[in-house]
Amino acid sequence: EVHLAESGGGLVQPGRSLRLSCSVSGFNFDEYAMSWVRQAPGKGLQWVGFIRSKKGYGGTVEYAASVKGRFTISRDDSKNIAYLQMNSLNTEDTAVYFCTRTLSGRYDHWGRGTLVTVSS
Amino acid sequence: SHELTQPPSVSVSPGQTARITCSGDALPKEYAYWYQQRPGQAPVLVIYEDTERPSGIPERFSGSTSGTRVTLTISGVQAEDEADYYCLSADSSGTSWVFGGGTKLTVL
């Protein structure tokens, strides 16, 4: 059974950093791209970015303009974990962050999300 | 910039047909994907590549496309279909993705 679980969320002050993890099981992690999607309280879904598989796609990354230069997505295929490193956080980054298994725009499995609150 | 436009809300009575639209300039060239999100839950993929239905999704969910607009159709709406629905697509480069603003489906 495919399972994704985010962790690392919490309360953080503006300007600080936080790293989220997405641990997966039940499929060949190294064969899939992984995406991050966030949802601010009471708002819609927002695409954050994704990392391609290293197999054939070099593990390259794409980001939304709103996080480019501040957020970094990485992966450790030996541990079946995807990461979202978030720097220079501001209040607009407050959201539930989801990781998803990705095949182009086909996000077929999602974690339950982890809440990040940016506040002083 | 790449944008997808959805109506904020759609209301239908049980058994009727609900149609939720999503408009964007890149949609003639890029596939659209539809997600259902019930309160407090993670989204669920209900349509991919404009018209394809994942296994486990009821046949009453279907997708169609026409020019710069894609449509999610739910035939014979049931109370359990009440949820927020989001479209997703890429820009013309295929490297930047965006969700529509979401449509709240209310089953009267």
Side-chain angles (χ1 to χ4, degrees), chain A residues 38-109:
Chain A
R38 69 183 180 182
Q39 187 168 35
K43 302 297 184 181
L45 301 175
Q46 183 183 22
W47 179 74
V48 173
F50 75 96
I51 185 166
R52 297 178 178 87
S53 165
K54 290 181 180 177
K55 290 186 173 181
Y57 300 95
T60 53
V61 191
E62 308 292 345
Y63 299 98
S66 58
V67 306
K68 196 169 187 178
R70 299 189 300 123
F71 289 13
T72 301
I73 298 173
S74 61
R75 62 189 301 156
D76 186 336
D77 290 349
S78 68
K79 295 181 179 179
N80 288 358
I81 300 177
Y83 298 101
L84 179 63
Q85 175 69 42
M86 304 184 293
N87 299 332
S88 303
L89 285 162
N90 58 62
T91 56
E92 295 179 346
D93 297 317
T94 293
V96 173
Y97 285 75
F98 297 97
C99 65
T100 83
R101 189 176 81 165
T102 299
L103 184 61
S104 188
R106 190 174 174 179
Y107 301 170
D108 60 353
H109 290 277

Side-chain angles (χ1 to χ4, degrees), chain B residues 6 10 80 87-89 91:
Chain B
Q6 298 180 234
V10 168
E80 66 193 48
C87 58
L88 169 71
S89 188
D91 67 359

